[in-house]
Amino acid sequence: MMAANAHAPSGAPALEVIGYSKRFGSFAALDDVSMKVRSGSFHVLLGENGAGKSTLVKCIMGYYTPDDGQIMINNREVEIGHPRQAHAHGLGMVYQHFTLVPNMTVLENFLLSRPHVPAVVDWTRERAELEAFLAGMPFTVPLDSAVADLAAGEKQKAEILRQLYLQCRFIILDEPTSVLTPGEADEVLGTIKRMTRRGLITVLMITHKFREVNAFADAVTVLRRGRLAGAGKVADLDNAAMAEMMIGHRDVKQAVDRVARAAGTPVLEIDDLRATDDSGQEAVDSLSLTVHAGEIVGIAGVSGNGQRELIEVLGGQRHAVGGVVRVHGEAYGATRAEMLRHKVACLPEEPLRNACVGHMSVAENMAFRRFDQPPNASGGIWLRRAPMRAAARALIERYRVKTRSPDSPIASLSGGNVQRAVLARELSGDVDLLIVANPCFGLDFGAVAEIRAQIVAARNRGVAVLLVSEDLDEILELADRIAVIFEGRLRHETASCGADIGVIGRAMAGH
Amino acid sequence: MQTDLGLWAVPLAMLAGAIRVSTPFIFVSLGECLTERSGRINLGLEGTLVMGAMSAYGVALQTGSPWAGVLVAGLIGLLLGGLHAAICNLPRVNDIATGIALMLAATGLAFFLGKPLVQPKAPNLSAVELGWWSDIPQVRSALQVNWLFVLGIVLAPALWWALRKTRWGLVVRLAGESVDAARAMGVSVAWVRLLATAAGGFLSGIGGAFLSLYYPGSWNEGLSSGQGLMAVALVIFARWNPLRCLWASLLFGAAGAISPALQSVGVTQGYYLFGAAPYVLTLAIMIITCSPERSLRGAPGELGVTR
């Protein structure tokens, strides 16, 4: 059924959106937004979380119907009420999370995404045809691997190749590099850039990273709170101008200044640690690391290189296969009693899922560490709610958690506030060791600055901090020492002042 | 006249058991395999099995044709599977709870309607003699093979092929792996699951017909004794692969034949203990394959308990 794409434009399409508005109840997600993407250009859509970027592209792709406004492709007004219509016009989208089916091979995935699948599939012929298609493409993917076995960069390439395979010539990329190493990101974006140069495709990319805008984009459209905040050619704009369009004028709390101090005694010592992932594959491989009192050790790396398993072992959510973890020189198995005795606090990634019970109240969630100790409990059996709520109120006040009351379920809070609530819980007592993973993932500017300030403040108080983050900028900003994890091993270790970003980036890619 | 085979009688009886007892396991596990590959769990297949056995027996008794009984049993299974799928397609319905409810309902209904069928004798399905070459009567009786067993043996590779090489099979797998991807392809997930569950029910119904019309070959309330539920566990053991479902079914059939086999060579102690072999096997398999640290490889992505 190639007829589905019969009237798709042959070259790279131009796209124009005029006066798009979209309301959800009383909330205006998009308010009179216009955007012009020229044929064969590399256009970037910038904006903070919640600025309306995804609403805009979902309207373009037909997942939402805008309340008002028009869309033009190659200067002709078109109607897009359904994703299949968008597809028929040659519009394709690559999502931030992968949409390929993990338990199927790349070949099966490609075939299934075609509008027409034959009743009985001749795999030999299909493979030959797909290989011929890939031969004409700037990059390739292994056809017979299950998608689950591909590295993140390969998955991203497969997603992009699939859109090209489906004859899409206008491709929307939603933060395509968030899961890639800097090297992989440059390779993928560089190739896409060359394809736009040759007039093969038009690209609209959502991103937060100015570096990518400067290196690859031709033009930029900036959204702020659902409105158009600015647009222009990248050549005419500098980073300061784009940043101001993006965040407007606002007071961002500065990160707490780090106090210069010599590293103290070793608090956390990891020796030759090994752990497996959910499928039984080795995920953490002979990892050794020491964190001293009063320093932040940052572990940089692209997601999926064993960070999750490492944090789970340290947080008591996973058994190590081998190796020793010591805290204060004593063997540490991450039991509740040991965490209490050694004053270990843990802020895992996605705290709502990993460190909270969504249906329980904010006060109850904040009491998880000490609900069974006086004054919250008498005799270790009878719980007292009043002291728990009082303690929660104090923490809510001090860490500025925005919640209607201490009794609201914690799942009703926004991401940043859940993060603050859990951080408040973990830092409220006396802490000697803080383990943090991706603390600012998906938060807005204000929340990011505040959470980072809390972490640095803890370090200044003499807490040993192990920070695992996929955001290299975060590591560079916070850490005293940096180690790079790749395929479960630490590859490169350096003090953060004087760190060579090129070396770190190459270590992240395994070089 | 029986020939004394000594201890050889045990493996022979287990082979006979594998051939005879495994057929319902094959049909139910292939049915459940198909259903689960589409992303739905049907625990009601135990009820479907019993209902199929009862209706097959009743129809064979009325019409005199056991094959008419097999067909009706399949259609009853189709209806029950379709009902399960239709209920599960409603929003916020849990397929585990629905499956258990339907299992109890179908079993109860079969017992109620099957009361008058306990006494009379219905015509049984005929068997193919594959043991003609042997003079030993035990070998001849062990190699009596029912056509349904042959059908099951053919069905397993056919299903395996269909899931890999046909559009129909790929769509079923897609619905089981990722609802979003299936929707993006324009596939109605609800419809695919309805058809897959109904087809799975059809196979289970036929498995039930085998119970009442061939082995043991009569209708009573203890006929199935949980074989439908064991077949569901067997699908997990077989990692959702139809070919492995076939092997696992044969293994379970052989395990079920251990205790009669031992009895035939004079080991009468612990008859009921050895009778529990298939259940112990089920339990052992579940313990071996489950781990809090690993997820099962091959499990369809949309298969879940909390939906």
Side-chain angles (χ1 to χ4, degrees):
Chain A
M1 208 166 68
M2 296 316 273
N5 282 339
H7 50 282
S10 52
L15 180 138
E16 189 173 359
V17 164
I18 304 161
Y20 258 20
S21 294
K22 176 76 187 170
R23 306 184 70 82
F24 297 105
S26 61
F27 171 69
L30 280 184
D31 186 6
D32 191 26
V33 171
S34 298
M35 174 176 71
K36 192 167 185 173
V37 183
R38 285 183 308 106
S39 160
S41 66
F42 195 125
H43 199 105
V44 159
L45 191 54
L46 265 177
E48 281 195 274
N49 287 311
K53 300 178 308 260
S54 18
T55 310
L56 177 60
V57 294
K58 278 181 179 161
C59 285
I60 294 174
M61 287 305 296
Y63 288 100
Y64 295 151
T65 313
D67 301 330
D68 205 4
Q70 310 165 286
I71 181 165
M72 321 248 287
I73 293 177
N74 288 339
N75 296 320
R76 262 204 357 247
E77 191 179 341
V78 293
E79 185 87 32
I80 295 178
H82 190 276
R84 248 174 295 174
Q85 276 169 310
H87 190 231
H89 287 294
L91 309 185
M93 179 155 170
V94 175
Y95 298 87
Q96 197 175 0
H97 56 269
F98 298 117
T99 56
L100 293 169
V101 181
N103 279 338
M104 290 182 161
T105 65
V106 174
L107 184 60
E108 285 173 333
N109 267 290
F110 273 54
L111 182 88
L112 276 174
S113 53
R114 263 186 4 202
H116 178 70
V117 179
V120 174
V121 182
D122 180 354
W123 284 117
T124 323
R125 216 190 69 203
E126 297 296 341
R127 174 176 292 107
E129 278 180 15
L130 202 54
E131 271 164 1
F133 162 79
L134 288 177
M137 286 293 129
F139 44 80
T140 188
V141 282
L143 285 180
D144 292 311
S145 304
V147 170
D149 297 332
L150 297 183
E154 283 182 312
K155 281 186 206 170
Q156 191 67 264
K157 286 180 196 165
E159 297 270 1
I160 293 168
L161 282 174
R162 181 168 66 158
Q163 295 305 324
L164 297 172
Y165 176 65
L166 295 173
Q167 313 276 319
C168 292
R169 293 291 174 257
F170 186 98
I171 296 184
I172 300 174
L173 304 169
D174 186 1
E175 296 193 35
T177 57
S178 57
V179 292
L180 305 184
T181 61
E184 280 176 325
D186 286 352
E187 189 200 339
V188 170
L189 293 182
T191 313
I192 289 174
K193 171 83 176 168
R194 282 194 294 280
M195 291 175 80
T196 60
R197 277 279 168 279
R198 279 157 60 196
L200 295 175
I201 52 173
T202 309
V203 170
L204 175 64
M205 177 170 86
I206 297 179
T207 189
H208 293 298
K209 300 176 184 166
F210 285 160
R211 194 184 69 82
E212 290 169 3
V213 178
N214 292 324
F216 302 105
D218 301 317
V220 58
T221 297
V222 187
L223 297 186
R224 186 168 76 231
R225 291 183 191 150
R227 288 168 171 275
L228 183 68
K233 283 188 180 155
V234 172
D236 303 338
L237 294 165
D238 60 5
N239 285 356
M242 285 192 286
E244 198 186 315
M245 284 181 199
M246 208 162 113
I247 57 178
H249 292 286
R250 111 166 51 147
D251 293 327
V252 178
K253 249 179 92 81
Q254 283 300 310
V256 173
D257 292 330
R258 57 180 63 238
V259 181
R261 54 179 302 161
T265 52
V267 177
L268 172 70
E269 292 161 278
I270 302 172
D271 190 17
D272 206 23
L273 185 74
R274 286 184 297 119
T276 52
D277 66 8
D278 287 340
S279 60
Q281 310 273 349
E282 185 126 287
V284 177
D285 181 15
S286 319
L287 186 143
S288 300
L289 180 74
T290 305
V291 185
H292 300 86
E295 72 167 349
I296 300 178
V297 174
I299 296 190
V302 179
S303 70
N305 275 301
Q307 296 99 320
R308 196 163 70 91
E309 289 77 12
L310 172 64
I311 290 291
E312 284 176 351
V313 168
L314 296 177
Q317 293 174 309
R318 183 177 291 276
H319 290 291
V321 179
V324 187
V325 179
R326 276 188 298 271
V327 177
H328 292 314
E330 285 178 44
Y332 167 82
T335 62
R336 187 175 158 81
E338 283 169 330
M339 289 183 112
L340 215 58
R341 192 166 73 239
H342 294 301
K343 297 168 188 156
V344 178
C346 202
L347 178 67
E349 62 183 343
E350 292 181 69
L352 187 56
R353 217 187 64 196
N354 288 319
C356 294
V357 180
H359 296 301
M360 291 173 77
S361 73
V362 175
E364 286 165 334
N365 272 284
M366 282 181 160
F368 280 174
R369 285 278 176 206
R370 34 194 78 248
F371 69 94
D372 53 354
Q373 286 155 22
N376 296 333
S378 53
I381 295 173
W382 303 107
L383 302 186
R384 296 206 193 111
R385 293 187 164 270
M388 281 190 221
R389 297 183 69 227
R393 261 203 210 94
L395 288 177
I396 287 168
E397 180 83 20
R398 205 171 122 211
Y399 285 82
R400 272 173 289 162
V401 182
K402 285 197 199 78
T403 171
R404 277 203 308 281
S405 88
D407 301 319
S408 313
I410 199 160
S412 67
L413 270 55
S414 74
N417 284 308
V418 173
Q419 208 98 5
R420 279 194 201 103
V422 175
L423 197 64
R425 170 180 88 202
E426 298 297 320
L427 291 180
S428 60
D430 205 5
V431 178
D432 284 351
L433 171 63
L434 175 65
I435 297 160
V436 198
N438 294 319
C440 300
F441 187 77
L443 303 187
D444 61 31
F445 267 24
V448 167
E450 232 173 281
I451 302 252
R452 287 180 183 170
Q454 293 288 356
I455 293 172
V456 174
R459 167 215 177 257
N460 289 345
R461 286 200 303 273
V463 176
V465 182
L466 177 65
L467 168 71
V468 174
S469 178
E470 284 149 26
D471 181 351
L472 187 55
D473 294 334
E474 180 168 78
I475 301 261
L476 291 170
E477 184 185 330
L478 298 182
D480 297 293
R481 257 190 318 132
I482 299 173
V484 178
I485 192 169
F486 180 76
E487 289 183 348
R489 281 168 176 273
L490 291 187
R491 294 285 168 145
H492 176 67
E493 223 178 305
T494 172
S496 82
C497 49
D500 182 341
I501 301 199
V503 175
I504 292 177
R506 282 197 294 281
M508 285 167 73
H511 294 302
Chain B
M1 176 106 189
Q2 294 272 315
T3 315
D4 187 19
L5 295 174
L7 282 178
W8 277 106
V10 176
L12 185 65
M14 285 177 69
L15 173 73
I19 290 173
R20 210 184 287 147
V21 184
S22 63
T23 309
F25 284 129
I26 295 175
F27 277 91
V28 178
S29 63
L30 288 181
E32 181 69 12
C33 185
L34 176 60
T35 307
E36 291 195 8
R37 283 309 275 270
S38 80
R40 171 142 298 151
I41 299 173
N42 186 0
L43 285 185
L45 290 188
E46 167 76 10
T48 311
L49 190 76
V50 176
M51 196 66 190
M54 188 280 296
S55 53
Y57 201 74
V59 169
L61 195 67
Q62 294 289 321
T63 61
S65 158
W67 288 105
V70 171
L71 184 67
V72 170
L75 292 177
I76 294 278
L78 188 88
L79 282 179
L80 284 170
L83 181 65
H84 176 73
I87 295 173
C88 290
N89 278 343
L90 299 172
R92 287 195 300 279
V93 171
N94 180 293
D95 44 3
I96 306 273
T98 312
I100 291 175
L102 275 180
M103 173 178 83
L104 296 173
T107 320
L109 188 66
F111 291 171
F112 173 71
L113 295 175
K115 279 267 182 292
L117 301 176
V118 176
Q119 283 300 326
K121 187 81 190 102
N124 271 9
L125 292 165
S126 54
V128 195
E129 303 280 348
L130 288 183
W132 45 265
W133 47 270
S134 173
D135 297 328
I136 306 168
Q138 287 98 321
V139 172
R140 297 179 78 127
S141 90
L143 290 179
Q144 277 188 349
V145 172
N146 186 272
W147 279 114
L148 285 179
F149 177 73
V150 178
L151 184 63
I153 298 270
V154 175
L155 209 56
L159 186 60
W160 177 81
W161 177 83
L163 283 173
R164 281 172 60 96
K165 298 232 173 177
T166 64
R167 174 176 62 208
W168 175 88
L170 288 170
V171 165
V172 167
R173 282 169 60 196
L174 193 62
E177 294 291 350
S178 164
V179 169
D180 288 338
R183 290 219 181 100
M185 197 189 154
V187 168
S188 160
V189 174
W191 188 237
V192 171
R193 290 185 178 164
L194 182 85
L195 292 181
T197 313
F202 184 84
L203 293 179
S204 303
I206 291 181
F210 178 90
L211 282 178
S212 63
L213 292 180
Y214 187 74
Y215 183 82
S218 62
W219 161 252
N220 64 65
E221 297 189 354
L223 192 62
S224 148
S225 59
Q227 291 183 34
L229 283 174
M230 277 191 284
V232 173
L234 204 144
V235 175
I236 301 172
F237 174 52
R239 300 282 159 84
W240 294 271
N241 178 333
L243 286 181
R244 277 188 240 147
C245 279
L246 177 62
W247 295 121
S249 300
L250 293 173
L251 182 69
F252 269 62
I258 285 181
S259 96
L262 285 175
Q263 200 184 27
S264 71
V265 293
V267 181
T268 48
Q269 270 180 333
Y271 178 78
Y272 291 101
L273 197 63
F274 285 113
Y279 308 96
V280 174
L281 194 63
T282 311
L283 204 59
I285 284 168
M286 297 317 269
I287 291 170
I288 292 165
T289 52
C290 288
S291 158
E293 311 257 327
R294 286 177 290 122
S295 58
L296 275 180
R297 200 145 176 90
E302 291 288 334
L303 219 53
V305 183
T306 49
R307 237 181 316 130

